[in-house]
Amino acid sequence: MRRFVIGSARSLIERSRQNYQFQRPLLSSSYRLLSSTPAVDSPSSSSSTMAPPVALNTINPKVIECEYAVRGEIVTLAQKLQEEINTKPDAHPFEEILYCNIGNPQSLGQHPITFFREVLALCDHPTILDKSETQGLFSADSIERAWKILDQIPGRATGAYSHSQGIKGLRDTIAAGIEARDGFPADPNDIFLTDGASPAVHMMMQLLIRSEKDGILCPIPQYPLYSASIALHGGTLVPYYLDEATGWGLEVSQLKKQLETSRSMGITVRALVVINPGNPTGQVLAEENQKAIVEFCKQEGLVLLADEVYQENVYVPEKKFHSFKKVSRSMGYGEKDLSLVSFQSVSKGYYGECGKRGGYMEVTGFGADVREQIYKVASVNLCSNISGQILASLVMSPPKVGDESYESYSAERDGILSSLARRAKTLEDAFNKLEGVTCNKAEGAMYLFPRIDLPEKAIKAAEAEKKAPDAYYCQRLLTATGIVVVPGSGFGQVPGTWHFRCTILPQEEKIPAIVTRLTDFHKSFMDEFRG
Amino acid sequence: MRRFVIGSARSLIERSRQNYQFQRPLLSSSYRLLSSTPAVDSPSSSSSTMAPPVALNTINPKVIECEYAVRGEIVTLAQKLQEEINTKPDAHPFEEILYCNIGNPQSLGQHPITFFREVLALCDHPTILDKSETQGLFSADSIERAWKILDQIPGRATGAYSHSQGIKGLRDTIAAGIEARDGFPADPNDIFLTDGASPAVHMMMQLLIRSEKDGILCPIPQYPLYSASIALHGGTLVPYYLDEATGWGLEVSQLKKQLETSRSMGITVRALVVINPGNPTGQVLAEENQKAIVEFCKQEGLVLLADEVYQENVYVPEKKFHSFKKVSRSMGYGEKDLSLVSFQSVSKGYYGECGKRGGYMEVTGFGADVREQIYKVASVNLCSNISGQILASLVMSPPKVGDESYESYSAERDGILSSLARRAKTLEDAFNKLEGVTCNKAEGAMYLFPRIDLPEKAIKAAEAEKKAPDAYYCQRLLTATGIVVVPGSGFGQVPGTWHFRCTILPQEEKIPAIVTRLTDFHKSFMDEFRG
């Protein structure tokens, strides 16, 4: 956690120190707490008793330092409980485990968009395309789209490695989709298709980080992919705190302070990560705010790494998603003014196709020589998976008015998005009714990040179990209710405050029961520890 | 190339020095020579004239140092020629570009195995599974298999993130396939499903390499994924030369010498990479040889990284593929004796499904604590793509005698493998008839790696163009014939020798014309430069 200890204002530094003096023993002496592997499933029984030929203290320390809370200890425990229920249905006071730890909609019953899956199936097995039975099974426009995509693939070979940036015709489609979204030109040669957004983030970190003297400005709380990737590549995470009191506001003054402090400590800040809509915090940035961020990056020569994977997930009428590319172009800034990378994924949005591992980054404002290096790194892994590439093109060019699938497609899409909005509101209201809990709106993304004021006795009980207080709360919640959430300490939070991240993804008909379970648990937890 | 300069015997060191004095200016001053990006396709036109906000000399030097020849300069030139032919069909003295640079069978017209694609399509769009038309379009056993796979996926959700090692049921199937292949137990918890073999190799390099003081023993010639990955992770490639005179033999005495030399230079050698069947060299190791390698790794405490992606590609009756796991278990060595990682991919074999990015590594002989670290790194990227996971399970459990698809499946498989064997032999014979060319057998894999004795005048001509002599030959071959091969300098070779790698993958009916074109080109090249 040393890499977190850069504070911008003195008070922040002091609070950080206080915080990390508290958290560090928990985090470093037992990384298992936040990021270990499922004891049940991962290590084979045979290997657990051996004298290891490769000792833990001989492996890359960057790997050991890296942490990833979203699949951490709580999930391991949840998997164990699930197995116990499988064997003995009444082993616990709940019938099923509810995974609210990760934005994985289809694991909780969300159905895929039919049109997308039709096209994927046809591209997987194109020999059925001109069979008569296929007309009865697939929509006409999915057949037409599959033909169009196959014609964009050299030799129609969906089983061949593609260009290392992805199939050119699919990149054309994606660029056209970006243009339609933004009203500004997009170049297919700026698109790098990737196996989800995560490898794209790693690629940029690998490119930018030379040593721990290189820093990356990251929001706190943040999606822990960023802290993990920075740790794996040996850089320094420079935190900037989002302001919970103003709905997780992003203050440019805060960015400036942290940048100055870093520089005074000899850190070269290379990039700013902005997650919009926010993860885990769910806020949607206002356009004016985005302009100030763009201006900051331009003036300070920072690469803007814009995580825009939740661009379709906006739930409040007063907010709208604007891409940073659109914002910067609308300010008159072009290639020469700002290095900007936008990350997009098929895992989120209304599609939620996490298992397909599709995504892209749009890379603008880099010189040709650096672009060649990005291409080279992409080429070492040859290409991303073709189904994911196809799906990335589909989400950026869904059926249009007049297409046979349009009505069913838009009904599916709107059904999912409006239900997510209702679920977000219901959960937000429920959290805000709990004693000592305050919860900002999920304006977008897929999460709520309520703050809990834990009683002193609960904090002591957590210390006694060598757990962070929020981790302790989450574990108690799990064992009492089967609900899996991720402690705020996995994302970072202002020292002395405690949170957890809860997805809004359980099926809508289950939400009332979840609210009841949560409320009952919280009440009894508070009763147990109230001073 | 400094990382290559470890020679075991004095003569090797001297030859290395001589070699790198010669090659280094070419390789380091213009990495473009071997690994640049397509000028046509990659950098956007707008970015090529700008003052870059991120200067090349500020990016991670490990990225700059990394090289990947398989998609290097020759391929860039080929793409340019292809575009010229598209615009003007008679622009060049050939009608098409023949990509023999990369093991990408379906790009050259190989058809996918029908059964595999049926199952993938059904898993992509399961709602058609119980429609009556589906019976007419899909084989009964593909429908049955799709149901079985869906039942192994929690909630039948092929669009959900899976367990970070891959879906448990699919790992069960793969483990059963390994057991059937080897006759020794395999544990599904040892399997990590990955997006092709490349990310698995990166994962192990990331785990093992702490600094440039850590070395990895790699064959020379080698598949450049290894040199690229070692460079990206900041380690040192410790070369061991395969002996061309004995059909690319792997001498354990050579391994020992290189290990000792490295140790005397303060390098900690952590692992030995063995590619079997060989890439680019095509040899299949004899079992006795494998036993000696296992013994060496055990005695020296090295991790054995076994690249076994060509396990199905063996073309000569006198050789058979044996996995290193089987060999080590047959020697009585278990978990405590040897750390062994076996890499497998759906991109190779008779299936050649490169675009699906499926693969796995089987990790044995590591302690539970290190295994947890591997799991943690896998979890940061959440999971590999589900279609690739499904396909990996299918190649390890294809249709069996009695299944409806068995006959068509085995006809497809045998047709591909026997045709590959014929193509390998025809090309090998053709190379051996060329003046100054000698070519070992492709016993396995997908490549021939002929050696060319280039005339002194050709070497001078190459120097004048600042190219390695083999790169010069390959470029001339391309512009004269449209055939794309990769210069030996991209794989490493004994200093002063020159080679190229040519896949055996063009369609069989095209082979005679390729042989004629190659032969004519070579003759005129030799006529031009003969002393």
Side-chain angles (χ1 to χ4, degrees):
Chain A
M1 296 305 288
R2 177 177 47 79
R3 301 199 188 289
F4 270 97
V5 193
I6 298 177
S8 74
R10 196 185 307 162
S11 63
L12 250 183
I13 295 181
E14 276 161 14
R15 281 151 77 200
S16 289
R17 285 212 182 107
Q18 184 193 349
N19 183 43
Y20 292 111
Q21 276 167 9
F22 181 49
Q23 289 201 354
R24 198 177 153 104
L26 292 171
L27 292 170
S28 65
S29 67
S30 63
Y31 62 85
R32 287 185 190 208
L33 177 71
L34 292 178
S35 59
S36 83
T37 174
V40 190
D41 205 10
S42 177
S44 72
S45 50
S46 49
S47 66
S48 56
T49 54
M50 61 178 284
V54 178
L56 186 63
N57 63 8
T58 71
I59 74 166
N60 182 356
K62 292 172 192 163
V63 167
I64 294 184
E65 193 167 337
C66 149
E67 290 170 355
Y68 188 67
V70 173
R71 294 210 155 178
E73 190 199 31
I74 293 278
V75 181
T76 305
L77 177 59
Q79 287 169 335
K80 189 168 155 277
L81 299 182
Q82 181 71 64
E83 295 211 354
E84 290 168 7
I85 294 172
N86 293 349
T87 334
K88 202 177 154 223
D90 60 350
H92 295 283
F94 41 85
E95 283 165 16
E96 62 170 346
I97 301 290
L98 264 168
Y99 287 97
C100 301
N101 59 305
I102 187 166
N104 194 8
Q106 295 191 29
S107 75
L108 295 178
Q110 181 176 309
H111 291 292
I113 300 292
T114 307
F115 175 81
F116 296 164
R117 291 303 192 97
E118 287 181 314
V119 177
L120 289 182
L122 291 168
C123 290
D124 266 345
H125 193 40
T127 54
I128 64 170
L129 266 167
D130 38 24
K131 300 259 174 77
S132 59
E133 294 96 328
T134 304
Q135 315 286 331
L137 285 175
F138 293 84
S139 65
D141 53 339
S142 72
I143 295 173
E144 196 185 326
R145 183 70 75 97
W147 277 121
K148 189 184 157 196
I149 289 170
L150 289 169
D151 286 339
Q152 289 170 331
I153 301 177
R156 293 184 178 164
T158 55
Y161 294 128
S162 71
H163 185 286
S164 294
Q165 286 184 235
I167 292 160
K168 176 62 166 53
L170 301 179
R171 286 187 279 130
D172 291 341
T173 305
I174 291 169
I178 295 171
E179 281 189 18
R181 180 193 71 195
D182 291 348
F184 289 97
D187 185 337
N189 296 322
D190 292 344
I191 309 292
F192 288 72
L193 283 152
T194 50
D195 292 310
S198 306
V201 170
H202 287 309
M203 231 189 274
M204 291 311 301
M205 295 299 176
Q206 186 164 52
L207 187 85
L208 293 172
I209 296 173
R210 293 160 294 188
S211 74
E212 62 180 9
K213 290 282 186 187
D214 281 334
I216 308 289
L217 268 164
C218 273
I220 298 295
Q222 51 104 31
Y223 175 52
L225 165 66
Y226 293 97
S227 50
S229 188
I230 293 167
L232 284 173
H233 293 100
T236 293
L237 189 152
V238 179
Y240 64 92
Y241 283 84
L242 301 173
D243 183 15
E244 186 163 12
T246 58
W248 300 112
L250 196 170
E251 296 294 332
V252 172
S253 59
Q254 160 82 190
L255 298 178
K256 282 190 178 142
K257 275 186 199 159
Q258 293 298 75
L259 180 69
E260 278 159 27
T261 309
S262 306
R263 285 181 177 160
S264 74
M265 294 169 76
I267 301 288
T268 306
V269 177
R270 310 234 47 195
L272 166 69
V273 173
V274 178
I275 310 174
N276 179 45
N279 176 4
T281 42
Q283 83 284 23
V284 178
L285 295 179
E287 196 172 357
E288 284 310 307
N289 198 183
Q290 290 184 271
K291 284 184 183 170
I293 293 164
V294 165
E295 197 60 48
F296 170 74
C297 287
K298 175 174 158 37
Q299 300 240 327
E300 303 292 352
L302 303 186
V303 177
L304 176 51
L305 300 174
D307 182 334
E308 300 182 325
V309 302
Y310 296 99
Q311 57 189 265
E312 306 264 15
N313 299 93
V314 179
Y315 307 120
V316 291
E318 67 272 22
K319 288 287 181 81
K320 207 174 154 348
F321 168 77
H322 303 282
S323 78
F324 272 104
K325 171 121 171 289
K326 174 185 169 181
V327 169
S328 65
R329 295 294 178 269
S330 73
M331 295 166 76
Y333 291 150
E335 281 286 328
K336 292 189 188 179
D337 302 299
L338 182 72
S339 301
L340 168 63
V341 183
S342 166
F343 302 101
Q344 164 67 321
S345 168
V346 304
S347 302
K348 309 303 171 188
Y350 56 89
Y351 17 93
E353 291 278 17
C354 303
K356 297 296 174 187
R357 312 310 287 124
Y360 70 78
M361 56 177 179
E362 185 189 12
V363 176
T364 54
F366 288 82
D369 49 2
V370 175
R371 288 282 297 267
E372 286 184 13
Q373 298 293 323
I374 302 173
Y375 174 82
K376 183 178 67 180
V377 170
S379 79
V380 174
N381 284 335
L382 297 164
C383 67
S384 61
N385 83 87
I386 305 296
S387 295
Q389 292 189 26
I390 292 171
L391 191 49
S393 83
L394 294 174
V395 306
M396 296 306 285
S397 65
K400 290 180 184 54
V401 181
D403 294 346
E404 182 183 308
S405 294
Y406 180 74
E407 276 192 40
S408 62
Y409 153 76
S410 54
E412 289 173 356
R413 180 198 60 196
D414 296 346
I416 290 165
L417 289 173
S418 58
S419 169
L420 285 174
R422 287 191 299 272
R423 289 179 252 174
K425 187 75 180 78
T426 306
L427 285 168
E428 175 204 323
D429 290 346
F431 285 133
N432 278 317
K433 281 190 194 132
L434 302 181
E435 177 188 355
V437 174
T438 53
C439 183
N440 279 318
K441 232 180 235 180
E443 299 175 331
M446 295 179 169
Y447 315 100
L448 289 161
F449 196 64
R451 174 176 171 170
I452 355 166
D453 282 328
L454 290 170
E456 204 51 44
K457 271 174 71 182
I459 294 172
K460 290 237 163 64
E463 273 182 79
E465 293 201 16
K466 299 197 173 176
K467 288 192 190 305
D470 49 4
Y472 178 71
Y473 179 90
C474 294
Q475 189 193 300
R476 291 285 304 265
L477 173 67
L478 169 60
T479 53
T481 66
I483 300 169
V484 192
V485 298
V486 184
S489 41
F491 303 91
Q493 53 200 345
V494 168
T497 69
W498 308 109
H499 300 77
F500 59 87
R501 188 184 81 165
C502 178
T503 72
I504 58 171
L505 297 174
Q507 285 174 297
E508 199 163 358
E509 61 271 26
K510 292 190 178 171
I511 298 282
I514 291 172
V515 168
T516 307
R517 282 203 253 168
L518 260 171
T519 307
D520 292 349
F521 161 76
H522 186 79
K523 193 173 174 310
S524 75
F525 183 91
M526 295 301 274
D527 287 346
E528 181 178 344
F529 293 107
R530 201 178 290 107
Chain B
M1 295 304 288
R2 179 177 46 78
R3 302 199 187 290
F4 269 97
V5 193
I6 298 175
S8 73
R10 196 186 307 162
S11 64
L12 251 185
I13 296 181
E14 278 162 13
R15 280 151 78 200
S16 290
R17 285 212 183 108
Q18 185 192 351
N19 183 42
Y20 291 111
Q21 276 168 10
F22 180 49
Q23 289 200 354
R24 200 179 151 102
L26 292 171
L27 293 171
S28 65
S29 67
S30 64
Y31 63 84
R32 286 187 190 206
L33 179 72
L34 292 179
S35 59
S36 82
T37 173
V40 189
D41 204 11
S42 175
S44 72
S45 50
S46 50
S47 67
S48 56
T49 53
M50 61 179 283
V54 178
L56 186 64
N57 62 8
T58 70
I59 73 166
N60 182 356
K62 292 172 192 163
V63 167
I64 294 184
E65 193 169 337
C66 148
E67 291 171 355
Y68 187 67
V70 173
R71 295 212 154 177
E73 190 199 30
I74 294 278
V75 181
T76 306
L77 177 59
Q79 287 169 333
K80 190 169 154 279
L81 299 182
Q82 181 72 63
E83 295 211 354
E84 290 168 5
I85 294 172
N86 292 350
T87 334
K88 202 177 152 218
D90 60 351
H92 294 283
F94 42 85
E95 283 166 14
E96 62 169 347
I97 301 289
L98 264 168
Y99 287 96
C100 301
N101 59 304
I102 187 166
N104 194 8
Q106 295 191 30
S107 76
L108 296 177
Q110 181 177 310
H111 292 293
I113 300 292
T114 306
F115 175 81
F116 295 165
R117 291 303 192 99
E118 286 181 313
V119 177
L120 288 182
L122 292 167
C123 290
D124 266 345
H125 193 40
T127 52
I128 64 171
L129 267 167
D130 39 23
K131 301 260 174 77
S132 59
E133 294 96 329
T134 304
Q135 316 286 331
L137 284 175
F138 293 85
S139 63
D141 54 338
S142 72
I143 294 172
E144 195 186 324
R145 183 70 75 97
W147 277 122
K148 188 182 157 198
I149 289 170
L150 289 168
D151 285 339
Q152 290 170 331
I153 302 177
R156 293 186 178 164
T158 55
Y161 295 126
S162 71
H163 186 285
S164 295
Q165 287 184 232
I167 292 160
K168 176 62 166 54
L170 301 178
R171 287 186 278 130
D172 291 340
T173 305
I174 290 169
I178 295 171
E179 281 189 18
R181 181 193 70 195
D182 292 346
F184 290 96
D187 185 337
N189 295 322
D190 292 345
I191 309 291
F192 288 73
L193 283 151
T194 50
D195 292 311
S198 305
V201 169
H202 287 309
M203 230 189 275
M204 292 311 302
M205 294 299 175
Q206 187 164 52
L207 186 86
L208 293 172
I209 296 173
R210 292 161 294 187
S211 75
E212 62 180 9
K213 291 281 186 189
D214 281 335
I216 307 290
L217 267 164
C218 273
I220 298 295
Q222 52 104 29
Y223 175 52
L225 165 66
Y226 294 97
S227 49
S229 188
I230 293 166
L232 285 173
H233 293 99
T236 293
L237 188 152
V238 179
Y240 64 92
Y241 283 85
L242 301 172
D243 184 14
E244 186 164 11
T246 57
W248 300 112
L250 197 171
E251 297 293 331
V252 171
S253 59
Q254 160 81 192
L255 299 177
K256 283 188 178 143
K257 275 185 198 161
Q258 294 297 76
L259 180 69
E260 279 159 26
T261 309
S262 307
R263 286 181 177 160
S264 74
M265 294 169 75
I267 302 287
T268 305
V269 177
R270 310 232 50 195
L272 167 68
V273 173
V274 179
I275 310 173
N276 179 45
N279 175 5
T281 42
Q283 84 284 23
V284 177
L285 295 179
E287 198 173 355
E288 285 311 306
N289 198 183
Q290 291 184 271
K291 284 184 181 169
I293 293 164
V294 166
E295 197 60 50
F296 169 75
C297 288
K298 177 176 159 33
Q299 300 242 325
E300 303 293 350
L302 304 186
V303 177
L304 177 49
L305 300 173
D307 181 334
E308 300 182 325
V309 302
Y310 296 100
Q311 58 188 264
E312 305 264 15
N313 299 93
V314 178
Y315 307 121
V316 291
E318 67 272 22
K319 288 287 180 81
K320 208 172 153 347
F321 168 78
H322 304 283
S323 78
F324 272 104
K325 171 121 171 290
K326 174 185 169 182
V327 169
S328 66
R329 295 294 177 269
S330 73
M331 295 166 75
Y333 292 149
E335 280 286 327
K336 292 190 186 178
D337 302 298
L338 183 72
S339 301
L340 169 63
V341 183
S342 166
F343 302 100
Q344 164 67 322
S345 168
V346 304
S347 304
K348 309 303 171 189
Y350 56 89
Y351 17 92
E353 291 277 18
C354 303
K356 296 297 174 187
R357 312 309 286 124
Y360 70 79
M361 57 177 180
E362 185 189 12
V363 176
T364 54
F366 288 81
D369 49 1
V370 175
R371 288 281 297 267
E372 285 185 12
Q373 297 294 322
I374 302 174
Y375 174 83
K376 183 178 66 179
V377 170
S379 79
V380 174
N381 283 335
L382 298 164
C383 67
S384 61
N385 83 86
I386 305 296
S387 294
Q389 291 190 26
I390 292 171
L391 191 48
S393 83
L394 294 174
V395 306
M396 298 305 285
S397 66
K400 289 181 184 53
V401 181
D403 294 346
E404 182 183 307
S405 294
Y406 180 73
E407 276 192 39
S408 63
Y409 154 75
S410 54
E412 289 174 356
R413 179 197 61 196
D414 296 346
I416 290 166
L417 289 174
S418 57
S419 169
L420 285 174
R422 288 191 298 272
R423 288 180 252 174
K425 187 76 179 78
T426 306
L427 284 168
E428 175 204 325
D429 291 346
F431 284 134
N432 278 317
K433 282 190 192 131
L434 301 181
E435 177 188 353
V437 174
T438 52
C439 183
N440 280 319
K441 234 180 234 182
E443 298 175 333
M446 295 180 169
Y447 315 99
L448 289 161
F449 197 63
R451 174 175 172 172
I452 354 166
D453 281 329
L454 290 169
E456 205 49 46
K457 272 175 71 181
I459 293 173
K460 290 237 162 67
E463 274 183 78
E465 293 200 16
K466 298 197 173 174
K467 286 191 189 309
D470 49 5
Y472 179 72
Y473 179 91
C474 294
Q475 189 193 303
R476 291 284 304 265
L477 173 67
L478 168 60
T479 54
T481 66
I483 299 169
V484 193
V485 298
V486 184
S489 41
F491 303 92
Q493 53 201 344
V494 168
T497 69
W498 309 108
H499 301 76
F500 60 87
R501 187 184 82 165
C502 180
T503 72
I504 58 170
L505 298 173
Q507 284 173 297
E508 200 163 0
E509 62 271 26
K510 290 189 178 171
I511 298 282
I514 291 172
V515 168
T516 306
R517 282 203 253 169
L518 260 172
T519 307
D520 292 349
F521 161 76
H522 187 78
K523 193 172 173 311
S524 74
F525 183 90
M526 294 302 273
D527 287 347
E528 182 179 342
F529 292 107
R530 200 177 288 108

